[in-house]
Amino acid sequence: MTTINPKATNAMKRLRHLTPKSTIFVLAFAAAALVPAYAHATPSPMMAPENPPVTSAKTAPDASFRSGGHLVRLATYHGQKLIIWEVATWCGSCKAGLKAFAHHQALIDRSNLKIIVLRDYKNGGYPGITIEKFAAQVAPTLLKDPHFVFGDATKELAAAYDPHHYVDIYQLIDAQNQIVATSSAPSVTFGKIKHFIASDSK
């Protein structure tokens, strides 16, 4: 003999009395409850360590990035002091970092430093504005500054310089093409960049 759950029977009776409009509402609510949690997720950045263990300098690998509709090789800048900084355009620490560069623009303009600001490959896994719009909103004066280059990281560059998929990471590369430091959050670690600028005049 089959036993019928009274609660289930009552639920069925209530459903029979729903209007078509109410039924649609109930079904829509149930469908929303089934949407995976990640569909509602907001970007959660994983930043590079600000003070990673000190390692000996190593040669900066060549790689390409896109800028102004062109593919550019890092080898183009050999012999020049560089910062390669990868950002996500939805990242709060990246926004603060770009403001820090703008705040120290006069210092940078007196140096021979070239700062290559690249939107992360696939923007760190989330949609967002272009790197140009990001710069225009946060620090528009940097867009016309010859010390700054804005572009997009390629998969090749991301593999070479950001294998852990951090959304805020930079490398300091000297004129001998050696990576002398890796860090993140320029708004917090700008002292390292100042030291790098002052380390020599080349």
Side-chain angles (χ1 to χ4, degrees):
M1 180 177 176
T2 303
T3 303
I4 299 175
N5 188 327
K7 290 184 180 179
T9 303
N10 291 337
M12 291 295 292
K13 287 180 180 178
R14 286 196 296 273
L15 284 173
R16 283 200 296 268
H17 292 293
L18 289 175
T19 63
K21 186 175 181 180
S22 300
T23 303
I24 291 171
F25 175 80
V26 170
L27 292 175
F29 180 82
L34 294 174
V35 175
Y38 64 77
H40 303 290
T42 55
S44 179
M46 183 170 67
M47 293 171 53
E50 294 172 13
N51 297 294
V54 177
T55 58
S56 58
K58 64 178 183 178
T59 301
D62 189 23
S64 63
F65 64 93
R66 296 190 180 279
S67 181
H70 302 285
L71 202 61
V72 183
R73 303 297 303 186
L74 290 176
T76 304
Y77 302 98
H78 282 184
Q80 187 170 5
K81 293 175 73 170
L82 296 177
I83 296 178
I84 299 174
W85 182 33
E86 290 185 74
V87 305
T89 60
W90 45 262
C91 165
S93 70
C94 303
K95 182 177 179 179
L98 197 60
K99 287 182 177 180
F101 278 115
H103 180 74
H104 295 284
Q105 189 172 359
L107 171 68
I108 293 164
D109 286 347
R110 292 193 298 269
S111 75
N112 294 315
L113 183 65
K114 186 74 76 174
I115 301 167
I116 302 174
V117 186
L118 302 176
R119 193 172 85 147
D120 287 323
Y121 181 63
K122 295 186 177 180
N123 205 32
Y126 292 92
I129 59 176
T130 65
I131 191 66
E132 292 81 9
K133 287 184 178 179
F134 178 67
Q137 289 179 7
V138 178
T141 60
L142 301 184
L143 282 170
K144 294 183 179 181
D145 190 316
H147 291 262
F148 288 81
V149 177
F150 291 89
D152 291 277
T154 60
K155 186 176 182 180
E156 174 196 25
L157 188 141
Y161 287 89
D162 188 17
H164 299 292
H165 307 293
Y166 295 128
V167 298
D168 182 347
I169 182 172
Y170 67 81
Q171 284 86 18
L172 306 180
I173 303 173
D174 67 16
Q176 289 71 47
N177 199 40
Q178 299 295 300
I179 299 174
V180 297
T182 297
S183 190
S184 68
S187 62
V188 179
T189 62
F190 206 87
K192 293 182 182 183
I193 296 170
K194 279 185 176 181
H195 180 75
F196 180 63
I197 291 172
S199 60
D200 67 61
S201 59
K202 294 181 181 180

